[in-house]
Amino acid sequence: MVEHRPVHNSEVYILSQTPFSNHLHHGGRPSPPSPITPAEDDFCCSPIDKLPLHNFVEPVIAACEEQLAVESRLSGAVHLLNTASTALSCITQLYSSDRIARDGFNRAVDAIVRRQGDHGRNGKLVVIGVGKSGHIAKKLVATFNSLAIQAVFLHPTEALHGDLGQINSRNDTLLLITFSGKTPELLLLLPHLDKSLPLILLTSHTRPETCEIVRQRPDTILLPAPIHEPETKSFGVSAPTTSTTVALSVGDALAMVASHELHPSVSKVFAKNHPGGAIGAALRGSFVSPAPSVASSTTSGTTPSSS
């Protein structure tokens, strides 16, 4: 059975000054009808499937979120590095212009140099700290020793339980590290430290009257290591970051300057104390004298004599 449906059809008419009958008479052909198209009702009876946009949108969103996460990480890292850089710039300015900071650094170098090796009585530097300051103290001890300045680390609590015996009551120099200037363990230890020994204090305080340790020990040599803003303001947490960076830098400066005053060639004593690793290999290469050239036993046109 043939199903009858309405169709759309159209014809194209050529407009010309010549009558259409003459056009046919001279061999012309009428234009063909346009293709048959379904009726509107028939065309709309099959709905178009929805495009699966989620297949395209979700990956794009995921990629954007991943990129944002990466940018957030890098932004946090750059912020911390920039904060540390600013703190170091500020401490540089302090030691370039502040009288108390400059005087403290000068006195600290004197206290170390006068009691080391041939310049003094073979004394050593005893570096004391707890917590993050204790870790800074251990690193500085390693730096001082590598630069041929005798140094040891002393934990304040262990000192009260027998390790005070590490301190030579006549020849040593003491270096306390505390950002707050009032660390309880150091305050407990302070009365047991020989007052005849030079005491250097690496701390955030820039004025002696604000520091509790200096109040109890007025002859303390103040070595300021402040930061330009609290770490809670910089990072939202008081974890030692900027403060340890600054303390480590000031301590390194103290070690390097003192070593240059004690030794004619700091590079040679460092090479002697650091033979291992890539640094040791590089240093050995720097100080190896070129091998003497071996003279040729023959010269042009001559034959060596046999012995």
Side-chain angles (χ1 to χ4, degrees), residues 96-140:
S96 298
S97 59
D98 185 79
R99 181 186 60 81
I100 293 178
R102 292 166 65 85
D103 179 64
F105 190 88
N106 184 55
R107 291 174 60 200
V109 173
D110 280 343
I112 294 172
V113 170
R114 284 188 289 106
R115 293 170 172 261
Q116 288 279 327
D118 295 336
H119 290 72
R121 293 163 287 183
N122 294 316
K124 62 182 179 294
L125 179 65
V126 181
V127 189
I128 307 170
V130 66
K132 300 299 183 293
S133 294
H135 292 296
I136 296 299
K138 292 176 182 178
K139 188 275 175 189
L140 290 178

Side-chain angles (χ1 to χ4, degrees), residues 136 140 175-179 200-204 223-225 247 250-251:
I136 296 299
L140 290 178
L175 171 59
L176 274 62
I177 303 178
T178 164
F179 181 78
I200 305 167
L201 180 65
L202 182 59
T203 181
S204 66
L223 199 61
V250 174

